Amino acid sequence: MADTITPAAAQPSPAAPVFEPTAYHVKEGGEGIALDVEKFNLWYGKSQALFDVEIGFQKGLVTALIGPSGCGKSTLLRCLNRMNDLIDELRIDGRITVDGHDIYAPGVDVIALRKRMGMVFQKPNPFAMSIYDNVVYPMRVDGVSNRGVLDEVCERALRSAALWNEVKDRLKESALGLSGGQQQRLCIARAVASDPEVLLMDEPCSALDPIATAKIEELIAELKGHYSIVIVTHNMQQAARVSDNTAFMYLGRLIEYGDTQTMFINPKKRQSLDYVTGRFG
Ligand SMILES: Nc1ncnc2c1ncn2[C@@H]1O[C@H](COP(=O)(O)OP(=O)(O)O)[C@@H](O)[C@H]1O
Ligand SMILES: [Mg+2]
């Protein structure tokens, strides 16, 4: 399996891009690597959940992480912004780099790192406060109190999340009064308010109806380019619709990673073929 997913013996160096994107047979035209995962292993206590994962997420593109339940998709996603830090007995080995900098290096400012990686969860999780306050929450935490600045960020973020027209007249109302789909777009607005480079989405549509799901998928298409997006999904049609590249994981390993069309039409590995054609999972 190593032949197609292991990049050519790259010598990591902080100054240079660590991977050649073409080593993975992924899309042409991505402007380099936003996040680079190298020989990454992870253990929850004694139980190993990730094995030698190697993947470079291309800048400005959408990468889908697919694979059966329990294969490590969420674990990998959470490692990208160090959301796993709070878990007891967690051990990792390997590197994840942003612009050549190891995000697990001693002294890394984790709060600053998370600002570069907006996160959207499975279930919409708006705070019990107004729509406006939800969006500007990250700015307030940062100490921004200038009303003009907050208003501007709020409008920009809500427009980016394709929610502005629906809520502009009720910004002071509770976010909990919004529909599930609107709440999820609000969470996306909150995630983009601090202008991150990467958006991490863990099954963002799994709690939504088909219409709300379609809206989020349209939104993902609009947001890519400006953001690099990593989306976990168990819905293969969704992966095929929204992503440029697809990574198939199985039992904690990255089995195959490549251009989405190739992954769905002509994958190289038998296991990927079986999975995308619905033979298991
Ligand atoms: N906080 C945790 N503590 C212990 N084991 C965990 C934890 N989170 C996930 N796991 C285990 O790690 C494996 C991968 O889980 P996960 O990343 O959630 O998979 P997926 O998102 O692909 O369904 C599973 O065996 C799961 O039980
Ligand atoms: Mg998961």
Side-chain angles (χ1 to χ4, degrees):
M1 95 170 49
D3 53 347
T4 51
I5 58 170
T6 307
Q11 207 45 47
S13 130
V18 208
F19 284 168
E20 291 297 328
T22 49
Y24 297 105
H25 315 291
V26 290
K27 272 261 186 292
E28 300 285 326
E31 319 146 44
I33 299 296
L35 268 168
D36 209 355
V37 179
E38 301 165 68
K39 286 251 172 243
F40 201 79
N41 291 276
L42 178 143
W43 293 260
Y44 292 112
K46 289 196 169 65
S47 162
Q48 187 164 3
L50 295 176
F51 298 80
D52 282 333
V53 173
E54 298 256 359
I55 183 167
F57 296 100
Q58 281 182 286
K59 271 189 191 156
L61 298 185
V62 180
T63 303
L65 295 180
I66 64 167
S69 186
C71 71
K73 305 179 296 295
S74 298
T75 297
L76 177 61
L77 193 78
R78 288 196 301 259
C79 287
L80 301 177
N81 71 348
R82 293 188 52 171
M83 285 279 292
N84 285 329
D85 280 17
L86 299 172
I87 297 174
D88 284 341
E89 298 203 29
L90 185 98
R91 189 161 71 80
I92 59 156
D93 180 59
R95 299 208 319 160
I96 298 179
T97 58
V98 175
D99 299 329
H101 300 288
D102 186 349
I103 66 170
Y104 285 93
V108 165
D109 179 345
V110 179
I111 305 291
L113 172 77
R114 294 203 186 121
K115 269 191 218 142
R116 298 176 68 172
M117 323 260 170
M119 183 114 184
V120 178
F121 299 89
Q122 222 161 326
K123 243 183 115 222
N125 60 343
F127 305 136
M129 49 177 80
S130 72
I131 294 167
Y132 181 96
D133 288 339
N134 261 275
V135 180
V136 302
Y137 186 82
M139 312 293 296
R140 287 229 169 92
V141 169
D142 256 0
V144 179
S145 59
N146 181 305
R147 191 71 199 195
V149 172
L150 293 176
D151 286 355
E152 199 187 310
V153 168
C154 182
E155 179 170 344
R156 175 182 56 75
L158 286 168
R159 283 188 188 280
S160 302
L163 189 58
W164 176 251
N165 288 335
E166 289 161 59
V167 301
K168 62 175 191 278
D169 300 321
R170 49 195 279 212
L171 294 175
K172 294 286 152 212
E173 291 173 27
S174 168
L176 303 181
L178 297 171
S179 72
Q182 289 173 324
Q183 288 188 4
Q184 196 60 309
R185 278 179 283 141
L186 180 67
C187 293
I188 293 173
R190 191 174 61 200
V192 301
S194 47
D195 206 22
E197 290 142 55
V198 179
L199 280 178
L200 307 173
M201 301 181 163
D202 195 347
E203 305 202 20
C205 303
S206 64
L208 305 181
D209 64 44
I211 292 172
T213 296
K215 281 204 175 138
I216 300 282
E217 290 183 6
E218 277 169 36
L219 178 57
I220 289 172
E222 281 166 31
L223 292 172
K224 84 171 196 186
H226 193 73
Y227 305 97
S228 313
I229 299 177
V230 184
I231 177 172
V232 169
T233 177
H234 61 249
N235 178 334
M236 281 181 286
Q237 285 77 21
Q238 177 166 77
R241 283 191 299 263
V242 305
S243 72
D244 300 286
N245 295 319
T246 296
F248 169 58
M249 295 179 69
Y250 187 55
L251 298 176
R253 293 175 195 277
L254 178 66
I255 304 297
E256 185 168 349
Y257 175 41
D259 165 84
T260 294
Q261 245 191 323
T262 310
M263 286 290 291
F264 281 91
I265 294 167
N266 191 20
K268 292 179 181 59
K269 301 282 166 61
R270 181 60 200 245
Q271 279 164 312
S272 326
L273 182 69
D274 286 351
Y275 187 70
V276 300
T277 53
R279 252 169 252 157
F280 77 94

PDB file of all heavy atoms in Angstrom, residues 121-126 180-181 183-184 187 204 207-208:
ATOM      1  N   PHE A 121     -18.973  21.212  13.948  1.00  0.00           N
ATOM      2  CA  PHE A 121     -19.243  19.867  14.457  1.00  0.00           C
ATOM      3  C   PHE A 121     -20.485  19.252  13.830  1.00  0.00           C
ATOM      4  O   PHE A 121     -21.240  19.906  13.125  1.00  0.00           O
ATOM      5  CB  PHE A 121     -19.376  19.912  15.981  1.00  0.00           C
ATOM      6  CG  PHE A 121     -18.122  20.403  16.650  1.00  0.00           C
ATOM      7  CD1 PHE A 121     -17.920  21.760  16.886  1.00  0.00           C
ATOM      8  CD2 PHE A 121     -17.132  19.514  17.021  1.00  0.00           C
ATOM      9  CE1 PHE A 121     -16.753  22.217  17.489  1.00  0.00           C
ATOM     10  CE2 PHE A 121     -15.961  19.956  17.635  1.00  0.00           C
ATOM     11  CZ  PHE A 121     -15.770  21.314  17.858  1.00  0.00           C
ATOM     12  N   GLN A 122     -20.676  17.990  14.194  1.00  0.00           N
ATOM     13  CA  GLN A 122     -21.798  17.212  13.693  1.00  0.00           C
ATOM     14  C   GLN A 122     -23.140  17.863  14.017  1.00  0.00           C
ATOM     15  O   GLN A 122     -23.979  18.056  13.162  1.00  0.00           O
ATOM     16  CB  GLN A 122     -21.734  15.858  14.389  1.00  0.00           C
ATOM     17  CG  GLN A 122     -22.017  14.702  13.501  1.00  0.00           C
ATOM     18  CD  GLN A 122     -21.484  13.419  14.134  1.00  0.00           C
ATOM     19  OE1 GLN A 122     -20.463  13.416  14.815  1.00  0.00           O
ATOM     20  NE2 GLN A 122     -22.189  12.351  13.921  1.00  0.00           N
ATOM     21  N   LYS A 123     -23.297  18.155  15.320  1.00  0.00           N
ATOM     22  CA  LYS A 123     -24.549  18.765  15.744  1.00  0.00           C
ATOM     23  C   LYS A 123     -24.301  20.255  15.858  1.00  0.00           C
ATOM     24  O   LYS A 123     -23.328  20.661  16.495  1.00  0.00           O
ATOM     25  CB  LYS A 123     -24.942  18.215  17.121  1.00  0.00           C
ATOM     26  CG  LYS A 123     -26.245  17.457  17.095  1.00  0.00           C
ATOM     27  CD  LYS A 123     -26.620  16.993  18.478  1.00  0.00           C
ATOM     28  CE  LYS A 123     -27.887  17.695  18.884  1.00  0.00           C
ATOM     29  NZ  LYS A 123     -28.034  18.188  20.179  1.00  0.00           N
ATOM     30  N   PRO A 124     -25.177  21.084  15.254  1.00  0.00           N
ATOM     31  CA  PRO A 124     -24.975  22.524  15.410  1.00  0.00           C
ATOM     32  C   PRO A 124     -24.898  22.868  16.894  1.00  0.00           C
ATOM     33  O   PRO A 124     -25.697  22.368  17.680  1.00  0.00           O
ATOM     34  CB  PRO A 124     -26.227  23.141  14.772  1.00  0.00           C
ATOM     35  CG  PRO A 124     -26.868  22.065  13.963  1.00  0.00           C
ATOM     36  CD  PRO A 124     -26.390  20.741  14.505  1.00  0.00           C
ATOM     37  N   ASN A 125     -23.935  23.672  17.280  1.00  0.00           N
ATOM     38  CA  ASN A 125     -23.777  23.988  18.704  1.00  0.00           C
ATOM     39  C   ASN A 125     -23.716  25.491  18.953  1.00  0.00           C
ATOM     40  O   ASN A 125     -22.743  25.992  19.499  1.00  0.00           O
ATOM     41  CB  ASN A 125     -22.520  23.299  19.267  1.00  0.00           C
ATOM     42  CG  ASN A 125     -21.251  23.750  18.556  1.00  0.00           C
ATOM     43  OD1 ASN A 125     -21.322  24.322  17.471  1.00  0.00           O
ATOM     44  ND2 ASN A 125     -20.108  23.535  19.161  1.00  0.00           N
ATOM     45  N   PRO A 126     -24.791  26.218  18.550  1.00  0.00           N
ATOM     46  CA  PRO A 126     -24.792  27.651  18.858  1.00  0.00           C
ATOM     47  C   PRO A 126     -24.842  27.858  20.370  1.00  0.00           C
ATOM     48  O   PRO A 126     -25.343  26.996  21.086  1.00  0.00           O
ATOM     49  CB  PRO A 126     -26.073  28.155  18.191  1.00  0.00           C
ATOM     50  CG  PRO A 126     -26.954  26.971  18.078  1.00  0.00           C
ATOM     51  CD  PRO A 126     -26.054  25.776  17.947  1.00  0.00           C
ATOM     52  N   GLY A 180     -32.395  24.041  12.382  1.00  0.00           N
ATOM     53  CA  GLY A 180     -31.135  23.293  12.466  1.00  0.00           C
ATOM     54  C   GLY A 180     -30.145  23.703  11.384  1.00  0.00           C
ATOM     55  O   GLY A 180     -28.956  23.905  11.656  1.00  0.00           O
ATOM     56  N   GLY A 181     -30.643  23.849  10.160  1.00  0.00           N
ATOM     57  CA  GLY A 181     -29.770  24.231   9.053  1.00  0.00           C
ATOM     58  C   GLY A 181     -29.212  25.630   9.238  1.00  0.00           C
ATOM     59  O   GLY A 181     -28.039  25.898   8.964  1.00  0.00           O
ATOM     60  N   GLN A 183     -28.847  27.090  12.136  1.00  0.00           N
ATOM     61  CA  GLN A 183     -27.886  27.020  13.253  1.00  0.00           C
ATOM     62  C   GLN A 183     -26.525  26.534  12.762  1.00  0.00           C
ATOM     63  O   GLN A 183     -25.487  27.025  13.189  1.00  0.00           O
ATOM     64  CB  GLN A 183     -28.401  26.065  14.339  1.00  0.00           C
ATOM     65  CG  GLN A 183     -29.577  26.629  15.113  1.00  0.00           C
ATOM     66  CD  GLN A 183     -29.956  25.758  16.314  1.00  0.00           C
ATOM     67  OE1 GLN A 183     -29.303  24.769  16.621  1.00  0.00           O
ATOM     68  NE2 GLN A 183     -31.020  26.134  16.989  1.00  0.00           N
ATOM     69  N   GLN A 184     -26.542  25.565  11.842  1.00  0.00           N
ATOM     70  CA  GLN A 184     -25.267  25.059  11.351  1.00  0.00           C
ATOM     71  C   GLN A 184     -24.550  26.136  10.532  1.00  0.00           C
ATOM     72  O   GLN A 184     -23.337  26.302  10.637  1.00  0.00           O
ATOM     73  CB  GLN A 184     -25.466  23.761  10.546  1.00  0.00           C
ATOM     74  CG  GLN A 184     -24.204  22.946  10.305  1.00  0.00           C
ATOM     75  CD  GLN A 184     -23.492  22.477  11.570  1.00  0.00           C
ATOM     76  OE1 GLN A 184     -23.210  23.274  12.474  1.00  0.00           O
ATOM     77  NE2 GLN A 184     -23.167  21.205  11.626  1.00  0.00           N
ATOM     78  N   CYS A 187     -22.994  28.438  12.888  1.00  0.00           N
ATOM     79  CA  CYS A 187     -21.727  27.895  13.416  1.00  0.00           C
ATOM     80  C   CYS A 187     -20.599  28.075  12.401  1.00  0.00           C
ATOM     81  O   CYS A 187     -19.445  28.312  12.781  1.00  0.00           O
ATOM     82  CB  CYS A 187     -21.889  26.428  13.794  1.00  0.00           C
ATOM     83  SG  CYS A 187     -23.015  26.221  15.194  1.00  0.00           S
ATOM     84  N   PRO A 204     -20.817  17.648   9.027  1.00  0.00           N
ATOM     85  CA  PRO A 204     -21.595  18.850   9.359  1.00  0.00           C
ATOM     86  C   PRO A 204     -23.058  18.761   8.956  1.00  0.00           C
ATOM     87  O   PRO A 204     -23.854  19.588   9.387  1.00  0.00           O
ATOM     88  CB  PRO A 204     -20.892  19.955   8.558  1.00  0.00           C
ATOM     89  CG  PRO A 204     -20.273  19.249   7.403  1.00  0.00           C
ATOM     90  CD  PRO A 204     -19.847  17.911   7.949  1.00  0.00           C
ATOM     91  N   ALA A 207     -26.961  15.962  10.968  1.00  0.00           N
ATOM     92  CA  ALA A 207     -28.182  16.220  11.744  1.00  0.00           C
ATOM     93  C   ALA A 207     -29.196  17.038  10.937  1.00  0.00           C
ATOM     94  O   ALA A 207     -30.192  17.501  11.485  1.00  0.00           O
ATOM     95  CB  ALA A 207     -27.830  16.948  13.040  1.00  0.00           C
ATOM     96  N   LEU A 208     -28.938  17.221   9.640  1.00  0.00           N
ATOM     97  CA  LEU A 208     -29.773  18.137   8.856  1.00  0.00           C
ATOM     98  C   LEU A 208     -30.637  17.416   7.828  1.00  0.00           C
ATOM     99  O   LEU A 208     -30.283  16.335   7.357  1.00  0.00           O
ATOM    100  CB  LEU A 208     -28.876  19.152   8.131  1.00  0.00           C
ATOM    101  CG  LEU A 208     -27.914  19.958   9.008  1.00  0.00           C
ATOM    102  CD1 LEU A 208     -27.131  20.935   8.151  1.00  0.00           C
ATOM    103  CD2 LEU A 208     -28.654  20.685  10.120  1.00  0.00           C
TER     104      LEU A 208
END
